[in-house]
Amino acid sequence: SSHFRFQRYKTRNGCPGPLLVVASLPMAPLFFGGVVVVASLRAAAADWGEAMDAAARLGRPPPLLAPELPSDLAPSHGLQRPTVPSQWSSDLGYDGNFAGQRLENGNGTFYYDGEGRRYRSSYTTECRYFRPHAEIKQDQLTMALPNGNSSSNLTWGDGDDTTCLSWFGSGTKYNDLFAFLRFAIPAGTEVIHGEVCNVWSLDVAAQGVSLSACIAEDGYPRVLNQTFILASKWSGFTRMRFSNIRPGKPGEEVFMVSRACATSYPMPPCRDVRVAAIDVYRLFGPPEPLELDNRNGGDVLGDLAFVCTQGSGDAYRNKLITYWRVNVSYSFGQYMFCNFDGKDNRCPGDPAQKRTVGRRSGQMQGVGPHLGQCSPNADVGSQYSFPAEGKCPAGVSPGTGVCAWGGAVAVRTVAARCLIEERGLLDACHKEIGHAPFTHSAAIWQRAFASDDPARGGCPDAPADEVVLV
């Protein structure tokens, strides 16, 4: 049924969305008053790393942990830990800072049904990275499937301009949003709107994550915090605030799948029969091979939007950027979230998406409808996905109903550090925050690829031994 069909997807975006994807991740080690409990450290680190990478590409805060942790891991030390009531709803507030971007003044509604193993968040927040006073509206429904796995569907936008995005947990189990409280320790008190509540925290030092909740005397949470203290682009925090608590089971209607996800996923292709060569740029790093199959990229402003919002950490400074020319059909489909897993690239999603080149506005922050799928996206650029299933055989040109892309040629590859640091791209980005299009930053980008002469703003070709050819 449509109620459970949305378990197939993953995502990548620009301004961190106000709604947090929940993943079921084992965690270790766990710290309890100086006691370290090791629980599958290597597996936990691998799962956490994958989730962090996917969230960073999505441009949203890393998944809020709903950990799968056996109860016998946590020594009691005589603590009477809180248990959050199983069914309630509330008004919801949100603030956060992630990947160099600030989210402020988020307001909406939260519904929680622990017995039914589901919850929903829906609200609007300000994100000013590209435009002053810009707002994002999202709705996220997360539930347990009959097999015990977790399923989420995410709706972006408002009114007629809504698009169903997607996230799938790769078979991860559903676990309760407040499960970490079973392992938390007291961490003082906090006053929220004049009301004193008790803070319970869990530090996961190996992954650089700290979780906490402030529980009021009535047992309901008033605040849920995440803090990321990694020395990378993922450092930041999220803070969810619950007010006007309404005890009792939320109505079934609040857990209905959104209309966009029930009827319009994936979005139909654009009605544009043109075929043309486009310029595409892609940030990557060895051992990933030099190819576009099952990969994402962007035009100058589009890839600039990705690098500017997420290129502030060493993880990207040590990578490469390739300039491609590729023939595409303008019958663009909904963007797919392709990711490299260390061995292969994957573009999970609906089979219909895999027959088209996907397009969206840069970091989904453009003014075009339906996330910029069929728009020129002159404000923040375009980002593309190139599923292997849509690639044309040798000698075949793209066209509607035939194939979607082909003839890709890698024009130049340069070190990301040259562009990001040595040519001053990040400094230029920071000066243009709130004033898209980032024309000065785009000019720096274009000069870096137009020449290998530093005196003209160019970057030299990356050494051949750094590029893995296919």
Side-chain angles (χ1 to χ4, degrees), residues 267-325:
M267 291 290 294
C270 305
R271 296 179 179 179
D272 192 333
V273 298
R274 288 179 295 167
V275 174
I278 62 173
D279 295 331
V280 173
Y281 299 83
R282 174 167 173 78
L283 179 72
F284 75 107
E288 184 179 357
L290 186 67
E291 63 180 15
L292 280 182
D293 301 53
N294 287 338
R295 284 158 173 82
N296 301 133
D299 59 19
V300 171
L301 285 173
D303 222 43
L304 175 68
F306 179 65
V307 171
C308 285
T309 55
Q310 300 184 36
S312 57
D314 289 338
Y316 285 152
R317 288 183 179 135
N318 296 324
K319 293 194 173 185
L320 306 172
I321 303 176
T322 295
Y323 163 33
W324 294 84
R325 291 280 289 172

Side-chain angles (χ1 to χ4, degrees), residues 320-444:
L320 306 172
I321 303 176
T322 295
Y323 163 33
W324 294 84
R325 291 280 289 172
V326 56
N327 299 319
V328 302
S329 165
Y330 271 56
S331 182
F332 296 114
Q334 186 168 339
Y335 182 88
M336 299 183 70
F337 309 104
C338 308
N339 284 296
F340 184 60
D341 63 7
K343 295 181 180 179
D344 299 297
N345 258 65
R346 300 172 291 115
C347 294
D350 191 277
Q353 289 177 277
K354 299 184 180 185
R355 295 191 292 269
T356 63
V357 173
R359 181 168 73 169
R360 69 177 189 185
S361 61
Q363 306 305 84
M364 301 197 297
Q365 296 303 303
V367 297
H370 296 294
L371 306 181
Q373 178 181 329
C374 302
S375 305
N377 301 324
D379 51 350
V380 296
S382 293
Q383 295 169 340
Y384 304 93
S385 54
F386 297 92
E389 291 87 340
K391 185 177 181 179
C392 297
V396 177
S397 298
T400 303
V402 180
C403 53
W405 66 278
V409 175
V411 180
R412 292 195 66 206
T413 298
V414 305
R417 181 184 294 273
C418 175
L419 176 57
I420 292 174
E421 293 184 340
E422 296 171 13
R423 300 297 172 265
L425 179 68
L426 284 187
D427 289 339
C429 291
H430 294 158
K431 293 177 182 177
E432 295 189 284
I433 288 175
H435 302 285
F438 293 177
T439 53
H440 180 57
S441 302
I444 293 174

Side-chain angles (χ1 to χ4, degrees), residues 29-44:
L30 307 175
F31 291 80
F32 304 103
V35 177
V36 180
V37 182
V38 179
S40 304
L41 175 57
R42 290 183 180 177

Side-chain angles (χ1 to χ4, degrees), residues 124-142:
T124 302
T125 188
E126 296 177 4
C127 180
R128 305 173 183 175
Y129 193 88
F130 293 99
R131 297 185 308 279
H133 313 301
E135 291 186 335
I136 298 172
K137 183 170 184 178
Q138 289 186 324
D139 172 80
Q140 180 188 313
L141 173 64
T142 299

